């Protein structure tokens, strides 16, 4: 199915595009401007088309090979054009983290939404109850009797489908023991307006593969214990972008007798990958497959005030810094020559400045530096419009985000 993607314009508010006069995004993209010499200003974050295509296909293939349904986490990009590509590649649904994201997805027409979070806000729940009555396919989490009561109070004519969440000590949400999980499951089964749909978890915050594997086995064991309460069709969902191989190893297959099992993976950052934390942590370092870093920030050297230090016009407002600083990849000289950014590293960032340490080659004021990023989820949210480039750096499309 085709999503409803709003028609937008680029104008003076569109960071990275030099557009004093408003122009429809479709018209801008159709012009196929060159990134260098076109109507762009620095810094600008771009997405490489070939990498996006590769990554979307890679996770779709991984899920197909392991019998997993896939609901990629949309919070990474909040870009309906990418949601469309993920759904076209076979995604079962799209995952959300907040009620506002669910509202956006519903506006886009996403056919099935998984809210991977607890929700106790009565305003949002009442609206969702109405949407469920109108046919919206929707699942959400509960990890407490209070959460179940809030969901129940907002239900309309059709019940909310609820996943009880198992957490782990020191983690985020989720019941800490199988006994607590069973208590919440019984509350869901007993409450009016709620229907137990399955079990959920999140292993992405764990420090290593063995601890993720242990947690996922505990999730499986807890689901088996809940079997008498579960419906014929059971959803079990887990998975970020660091341990999706373990989700496949521990949860794939037919291990819940008497039930038809749908195991849903929720990875999100894979869509653009990165040159930082996920390059280090991707499961494709352990199992066959690969992802390509899609996001690049091109920024200009504005000053070389002392030997070994350049100042680049890019900072915390343009690039993520929560899980590693930007990674210099290439240097583009004023004459257009591009060389590897060997010997360069970002040591700090301010709001709009990066401190670039260098040995050789030495950047000069006016040169451009291409940076990779670390942590896609805090890169997309800094840009309303992201040019999509081919491998020759011609802009062939624009991604609009809705954070």
């Amino acid at each position: 199915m085709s999503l409803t993607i709003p028609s937008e314009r680029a104008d003076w508010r569109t960071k990275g595009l030099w557009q004093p006069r408003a122009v429809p995004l479709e018209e801008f993209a159709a012009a196929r401007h060159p990134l260098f010499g076109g109507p762009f200003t620095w810094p600008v974050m771009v997405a490489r088309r070939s990498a996006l295509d590769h990554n979307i296909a890679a996770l779709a293939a991984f899920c197909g090979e392991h019998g997993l349904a896939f609901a990629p986490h949309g919070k990474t990009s909040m870009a309906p054009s990418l949601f469309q590509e993920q759904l076209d590649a076979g995604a079962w649904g799209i995952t959300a983290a907040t009620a506002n994201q669910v509202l956006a997805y519903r506006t886009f027409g996403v056919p099935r939404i998984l809210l991977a979070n607890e929700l106790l806000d009565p305003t949002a729940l009442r609206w969702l109850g109405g949407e469920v009555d109108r046919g919206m396919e929707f699942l959400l989490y509960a990890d407490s009797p209070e959460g179940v009561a809030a969901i129940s109070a907002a239900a309309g004519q059709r019940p909310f489908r609820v996943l009880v969440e198992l957490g782990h000590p020191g983690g985020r949400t989720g019941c800490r023991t199988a006994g607590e999980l069973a208590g919440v499951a019984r509350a869901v089964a007993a409450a009016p307006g709620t229907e137990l749909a399955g079990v959920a978890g999140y292993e992405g915050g764990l420090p290593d593969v063995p601890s993720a594997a242990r947690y996922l086995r505990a999730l499986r064991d807890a689901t088996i214990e809940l079997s008498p309460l579960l419906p014929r069709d059971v959803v079990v969902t887990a998975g970020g972008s660091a341990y999706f191989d373990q989700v496949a190893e521990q949860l794939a297959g037919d291990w819940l007798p008497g039930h038809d099992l749908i195991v849903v993976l929720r990875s999100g950052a894979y869509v653009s990958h990165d040159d930082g934390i996920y390059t280090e942590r991707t499961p494709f370092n352990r199992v066959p497959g690969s992802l390509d870093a899609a996001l690049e920030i091109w920024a200009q050297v504005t000053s070389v005030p002392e030997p070994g230090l350049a100042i680049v016009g890019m900072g915390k407002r343009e690039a993520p810094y929560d899980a590693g600083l930007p990674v210099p990849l290439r240097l583009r000289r004023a004459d257009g020559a591009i060389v590897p950014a060997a010997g360069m590293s970002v040591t700090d960032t301010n709001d709009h400045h990066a401190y670039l340490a260098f040995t050789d080659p030495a950047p000069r004021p006016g040169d451009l530096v291409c940076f990779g990023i670390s942590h896609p989820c805090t890169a997309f949210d800094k840009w309303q419009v992201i040019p999509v480039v081919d491998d020759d750096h011609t802009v062939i499309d624009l991604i609009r985000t809705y954070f």
Side-chain angles (χ1 to χ4, degrees):
M1 67 171 296
S2 296
L3 300 184
T4 301
I5 300 176
S7 179
E8 303 279 7
R9 291 174 175 265
D11 59 19
W12 58 271
R13 294 166 290 189
T14 310
K15 182 169 66 175
L17 277 60
W18 194 258
Q19 203 58 52
R21 178 185 64 84
V23 60
L25 296 187
E26 296 84 357
E27 179 182 324
F28 188 99
R32 298 180 68 86
H33 295 292
L35 181 62
F36 309 114
F40 303 97
T41 187
W42 319 111
V44 62
M45 187 170 82
V46 303
R48 296 191 302 115
R49 180 73 267 170
S50 58
L52 293 173
D53 289 346
H54 171 78
N55 297 343
I56 291 170
L59 258 289
F62 179 88
C63 289
E65 290 165 6
H66 293 88
L68 303 175
F70 191 28
H73 213 314
K75 72 178 175 68
T76 297
S77 72
M78 286 304 293
S81 61
L82 292 181
F83 297 173
Q84 182 72 71
E85 294 174 24
Q86 292 168 313
L87 291 166
D88 289 346
W92 175 86
I94 303 291
T95 299
T98 69
N100 278 103
Q101 290 173 5
V102 175
L103 176 58
Y105 295 7
R106 184 66 169 158
T107 302
F108 303 145
V110 173
R112 182 185 287 120
I113 302 169
L114 194 168
L115 176 59
N117 209 344
E118 281 66 23
L119 182 62
L120 291 88
D121 179 351
T123 299
L125 283 167
R126 283 193 297 268
W127 177 82
L128 285 164
E131 295 303 301
V132 169
D133 281 349
R134 283 183 279 275
M136 176 184 182
E137 287 197 58
F138 177 68
L139 299 97
L140 79 167
Y141 290 5
D143 70 354
S144 68
E146 292 86 351
V148 176
I151 297 167
S152 174
Q157 298 300 310
R158 296 179 62 194
F160 280 104
R161 298 181 67 208
V162 179
L163 302 168
V164 289
E165 185 187 12
L166 181 69
H168 56 81
R172 299 193 305 206
T173 53
C175 300
R176 291 322 197 228
T177 69
E180 292 173 1
L181 188 77
V184 176
R186 287 191 293 269
V188 173
T194 62
E195 175 183 284
L196 186 61
V199 181
Y202 174 65
E203 77 298 334
L206 289 163
D208 51 40
V209 169
S211 57
R214 284 194 298 272
Y215 166 73
L216 291 165
R217 286 194 294 270
L219 183 71
R220 174 172 166 165
D221 291 345
T223 303
I224 293 170
E225 289 183 22
L226 293 179
S227 180
L229 293 174
L230 293 170
R232 175 72 187 186
D233 296 323
V234 177
V235 174
V236 174
T237 178
S241 292
Y243 302 116
F244 55 74
D245 60 327
Q246 292 305 302
V247 175
E249 184 172 331
Q250 305 300 332
L251 298 181
D254 184 14
W255 46 265
L256 195 63
H259 300 273
D260 293 326
L261 190 61
I262 304 168
V263 179
V264 181
L265 180 68
R266 304 190 312 270
S267 310
Y270 85 95
V271 70
S272 68
H273 197 46
D274 69 11
D275 287 290
I277 184 173
Y278 285 111
T279 288
E280 298 170 359
R281 300 189 69 187
T282 176
F284 287 141
N285 291 332
R286 300 183 291 271
V287 299
S290 67
L291 297 171
D292 294 340
L295 299 180
E296 300 176 344
I297 300 177
W298 288 86
Q300 193 167 49
V301 177
T302 58
S303 178
V304 185
E306 60 187 68
L309 175 65
I311 304 299
V312 180
M314 172 199 69
K316 291 179 170 67
R317 301 284 182 88
E318 293 85 27
Y321 55 92
D322 60 304
L325 295 175
V327 181
L329 300 175
R330 295 180 292 281
L331 177 70
R332 188 178 190 272
R333 299 292 192 184
D335 63 2
I338 297 179
V339 297
M344 296 184 185
S345 63
V346 174
T347 60
D348 199 3
T349 56
N350 300 148
D351 286 351
H352 298 289
H353 296 86
Y355 295 76
L356 183 68
F358 66 86
T359 53
D360 184 61
R364 299 304 307 157
D367 288 349
L368 295 174
V369 182
C370 174
F371 294 91
I373 62 96
S374 181
H375 197 192
C377 298
T378 50
F380 278 95
D381 66 345
K382 293 173 171 55
W383 298 87
Q384 286 189 337
V385 175
I386 301 167
V388 179
V389 297
D390 65 15
D391 290 339
D392 294 323
H393 287 101
T394 298
V395 174
I396 57 175
D397 201 357
L398 296 168
I399 295 171
R400 179 66 162 86
T401 66
Y402 293 86
F403 286 94

